[in-house]
Amino acid sequence: RKIKVFLSALSIYRNILDKPVMRSFLELVDSLYNKGKTDLCEYIDLYSSFVASLMKDTPSMSFTEYIIKEIIFDSNIYSNTAEYCRNGEIDSTLKNNVCTELKLLQFISGINSRDIKDCILDSLPLSGFEADVINSLPEWNTGIINTGMQCGYPVEAKKLMEVFAKAADWAESLIPLADFYYRNGTGIFARYNAFIWDYSNGQGFLRGVEHPDPVRLSDLIAYENERSQVIENTVQFLGGFPANNILLYGDRGTGKSSTVKAVVNEYHNKGLRIVEVPKNRLMDFPKIVNLLRKSRLKFIVFVDDLAFEDNEENY
């Protein structure tokens, strides 16, 4: 009952309840809350569905890590405010509400598989065989698992996850959380450094790149003068000073795309992100700009192969 009450009390972080893992967890909790209305096979199915969903989302199978990750990458009134305001400038009522919900989520994150199994065992009169089946169901972890920390999270996010993991009270992580949003943005912009403008069901959307090209400026040779102009222009852009659109041209394999990607890898910790747009979707540029202008981060909109045939008029 306590779990259900705590989950129901979430307002700022209510988006988390709509995620597949949490939906599975809620269904499992609801079944335990409604004792007498669920049979053994249904309990087992709901339990296994939650474990499978957690396993797919978080390879470490740590429920704690999953919830910390969802807190960090959630987009809500607090994260959106913190992106534009230092912690000291944020309304105290909002901060107090966030602290309360962080405590609730910390409690939820500590729920382990033994707790749930014991609830199931207490809910039904079971034979020895049936009890053995319940006890042998797969388990999940709680706490931060080091191997899970390496699964594609940005460096800044990993550091913040460690702050949460070491905190006896997650409310103590409020200032580092606000600082993270101020430096890295919120939602998918905090989660990824690179994006592709993709399409699904006739709708364009930003798809985060899980494993972007890791090329760095130090990996590139020759064309120092041309590359220095790209770097100088990018630094101007990041500083809020006048900057130019850039057309890089030359033979295939001379490092045009690599230069752009290396610049993003060099300055992503300064708030730089990249969105690659296929040439045939350039008509969506206004839509893309409207999405990006909501963030205080800086974006390079990158068209990788801007080549046209002589008779082509779409450009």
Side-chain angles (χ1 to χ4, degrees):
R1 180 178 176 83
K2 193 173 183 180
I3 300 172
K4 187 171 177 62
V5 170
F6 280 9
L7 289 172
S8 300
L10 294 176
S11 297
I12 294 170
Y13 289 103
R14 200 160 193 85
N15 292 337
I16 294 176
L17 301 181
D18 292 328
K19 300 299 176 67
V21 173
M22 289 306 295
R23 283 204 304 268
S24 293
F25 184 70
L26 273 169
E27 289 176 1
L28 177 57
V29 170
D30 283 341
S31 72
L32 295 169
Y33 183 73
N34 297 316
K35 288 184 178 181
K37 298 181 180 179
T38 307
D39 62 26
L40 177 62
C41 289
E42 188 174 356
Y43 275 135
I44 293 174
D45 183 60
L46 291 170
Y47 182 102
S48 300
S49 293
F50 167 65
V51 174
S53 184
L54 180 64
M55 189 186 306
K56 180 179 179 181
D57 184 279
T58 308
S60 68
M61 290 189 64
S62 169
F63 194 34
T64 307
E65 181 181 323
Y66 168 78
I67 289 183
I68 292 174
K69 178 194 67 174
E70 290 300 327
I71 290 170
I72 292 174
F73 298 128
D74 190 41
S75 182
N76 54 59
I77 185 173
Y78 177 70
S79 65
N80 295 335
T81 301
E83 180 178 359
Y84 286 90
C85 302
R86 293 290 190 181
N87 182 69
E89 301 169 348
I90 300 174
D91 179 76
S92 59
T93 300
L94 177 57
K95 289 194 288 188
N96 290 337
N97 290 338
V98 173
C99 287
T100 298
E101 295 199 11
L102 289 177
K103 292 174 185 288
L104 299 180
L105 287 166
Q106 184 175 15
F107 174 84
I108 298 301
S109 77
I111 301 299
N112 59 48
S113 42
R114 187 69 260 167
D115 297 330
I116 300 298
K117 288 179 181 181
D118 287 344
C119 287
I120 296 174
L121 292 171
D122 291 341
S123 299
L124 296 170
L126 302 176
S127 67
F129 162 74
E130 292 170 331
D132 288 343
V133 170
I134 296 297
N135 286 317
S136 65
L137 289 172
E139 300 187 344
W140 63 85
N141 299 308
T142 55
I144 292 292
I145 310 300
N146 288 332
T147 53
M149 293 289 288
Q150 308 304 319
C151 294
Y153 304 133
V155 172
E156 290 287 316
K158 290 180 183 180
K159 292 178 180 177
L160 184 55
M161 291 181 78
E162 291 171 357
V163 169
F164 270 88
K166 293 175 181 177
D169 180 351
W170 282 5
E172 298 170 1
S173 305
L174 187 69
I175 293 177
L177 185 62
D179 290 343
F180 173 83
Y181 292 138
Y182 190 79
R183 293 193 308 270
N184 300 281
T186 68
I188 60 170
F189 298 134
R191 175 67 179 85
Y192 302 101
N193 298 327
F195 303 86
I196 293 175
W197 183 247
D198 211 341
Y199 256 72
S200 178
N201 298 322
Q203 296 293 321
F205 66 98
L206 292 171
R207 175 169 60 83
V209 179
E210 289 282 352
H211 304 288
D213 189 339
V215 62
R216 303 303 294 252
L217 290 171
S218 58
D219 298 329
L220 305 177
I221 59 174
Y223 299 100
E224 281 84 3
N225 180 55
E226 290 82 354
R227 194 154 47 252
S228 69
Q229 294 179 56
V230 176
I231 295 170
E232 181 181 358
N233 191 63
T234 304
V235 171
Q236 286 278 108
F237 178 50
L238 287 171
F241 301 107
N244 297 309
N245 296 318
I246 296 179
L247 174 65
L248 297 179
Y249 61 94
D251 293 335
R252 184 181 299 274
T254 50
K256 302 182 296 297
S257 299
S258 294
T259 294
V260 178
K261 294 172 182 177
V263 165
V264 175
N265 290 334
E266 197 75 25
Y267 294 105
H268 70 86
N269 60 344
K270 303 292 185 184
L272 185 63
R273 303 289 186 268
I274 186 170
V275 178
E276 183 172 345
V277 182
K279 185 184 72 172
N280 63 346
R281 292 298 178 188
L282 282 175
M283 72 286 290
D284 291 341
F285 186 74
K287 296 179 185 177
I288 297 169
V289 171
N290 281 334
L291 280 175
L292 302 183
R293 72 168 69 253
K294 298 173 185 177
S295 172
R296 64 183 291 271
L297 299 174
K298 302 291 186 181
F299 295 88
I300 292 175
V301 178
F302 175 52
V303 186
D304 193 16
D305 188 12
L306 196 64
F308 300 97
E309 301 296 331
D310 290 342
N311 62 348
E312 192 171 351
E313 297 181 357
N314 289 339
Y315 70 89

